[in-house]
Amino acid sequence: MSPRVDLVEDVGQILLTEDEIQSRVAQLGAQISADYAGRQLTLVSVLKGSLPFMADLMRAISIPVRIDLMEV
């Protein structure tokens, strides 16, 4: 088993707070919902790093959405 990594210790500088990121994701979700209303929307995530962001974005979108995943 690998030793546990302290992710907080590895951060040199915080550029955006968690609240700022959540607020922007909500804004993006609302904008995408408006722009794609009545159309089919597919979100594509490049595994693995973007999956947590895509999950948050999907929850912020109010229209039906499909997802696809890509491994590079």
Side-chain angles (χ1 to χ4, degrees), residues 2-47:
S2 303
R4 190 172 178 97
V5 177
D6 184 354
L7 298 178
V8 175
E9 188 176 304
D10 286 345
V11 175
Q13 178 183 6
I14 296 175
L15 302 177
L16 299 169
T17 67
E18 185 176 347
D19 289 340
E20 290 172 321
I21 293 170
Q22 288 175 353
S23 175
R24 185 62 179 134
V25 169
Q27 291 171 2
L28 287 170
Q31 185 65 53
I32 291 169
S33 297
D35 290 349
Y36 286 86
R39 298 167 55 190
Q40 188 173 35
L41 174 63
T42 302
L43 299 178
V44 179
S45 174
V46 178
L47 294 173

